[in-house]
C-alpha cells in the first residue's frame, strides 16, 4: 500500500469508527462494520459491510426506513472527511452474523471474499 493510500485508509477508518459507535446506540442488533477498497480506483471501489447479529434485527432496521438512516449516518461521516462518491449509498451493504454462521460456518474471511 502506498503512503497516500495508507493516509486515505486511516482517514476512512476514523470516519467509520465514529459511524460504528453511533450505530451501536441507534440500531438494535448492530454489531460491527468493515470496509474494502482498491485504492487505485477510490472511492468508486469502496465497499462497506455493516453486520447485525440476527436477520430479525436487520429486518427491523429495514422496516423503519429501508436502511436509509444507517446509510445517511455513514455518508455523513464520509463527507466530514471528504471521502465521498456520487452514489455512496450503493457502496453500503448489510449482512448478519446469523447468516454467516449458517452459510459459511462463521468464517467471515470466506464470506467477504
Amino acid at each position: 500500500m502506498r503512503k497516500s493510500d495508507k493516509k486515505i485508509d486511516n482517514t476512512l477508518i476514523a470516519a467509520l469508527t465514529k459511524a460504528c459507535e453511533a450505530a451501536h446506540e441507534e440500531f438494535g442488533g448492530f454489531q460491527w462494520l468493515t470496509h474494502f477498497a482498491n485504492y487505485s480506483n477510490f472511492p468508486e471501489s469502496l465497499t462497506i459491510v455493516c453486520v447485525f447479529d440476527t436477520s430479525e434485527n436487520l429486518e427491523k432496521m429495514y422496516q423503519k426506513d429501508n436502511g436509509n438512516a444507517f446509510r445517511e449516518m455513514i455518508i455523513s461521516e464520509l463527507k466530514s472527511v471528504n471521502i465521498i462518491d456520487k452514489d455512496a449509498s450503493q457502496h453500503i451493504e448489510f449482512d448478519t452474523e446469523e447468516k454467516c454462521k449458517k452459510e459459511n460456518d462463521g468464517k467471515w474471511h470466506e464470506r467477504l471474499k
Side-chain angles (χ1 to χ4, degrees), residues 31 51-58 95-106 108 111:
Q31 299 297 301
V51 179
F52 281 73
D53 54 358
T54 65
S55 296
E56 181 181 350
N57 282 329
L58 179 58
D95 205 343
T96 70
E97 290 182 342
E98 181 180 63
K99 284 183 183 177
C100 180
K101 186 174 182 178
K102 182 178 179 181
E103 297 171 7
N104 299 89
D105 199 30
W108 280 101
R111 188 167 184 83

Side-chain angles (χ1 to χ4, degrees), residues 19-20 23 27 30 32-33 50-52 61 65 67-75 92 94:
C20 186
F27 303 100
F30 171 73
W32 52 278
L33 59 77
C50 306
V51 179
F52 281 73
M61 186 270 304
D65 65 355
N68 290 329
F70 201 126
R71 285 183 178 89
E72 288 302 316
M73 182 177 53
I74 292 172
I75 291 167
I92 302 169
F94 296 96

Side-chain angles (χ1 to χ4, degrees), residues 3 6 10 30 37-39 59 62 65 69 73 77 85 94 100 103 108 111:
K3 194 174 185 178
K6 187 65 177 169
N10 287 339
F30 171 73
N38 174 348
Y39 290 99
E59 184 61 31
Y62 274 127
D65 65 355
M73 182 177 53
E77 288 299 334
D85 186 48
F94 296 96
C100 180
E103 297 171 7
W108 280 101
R111 188 167 184 83

Side-chain angles (χ1 to χ4, degrees), residues 34 39 42-43 47-48 54 58 63 80 82 88-89 95:
T34 191
Y39 290 99
F42 188 84
T47 299
I48 300 166
T54 65
L58 179 58
Q63 286 174 353
S80 76
N82 297 317
S89 65
D95 205 343

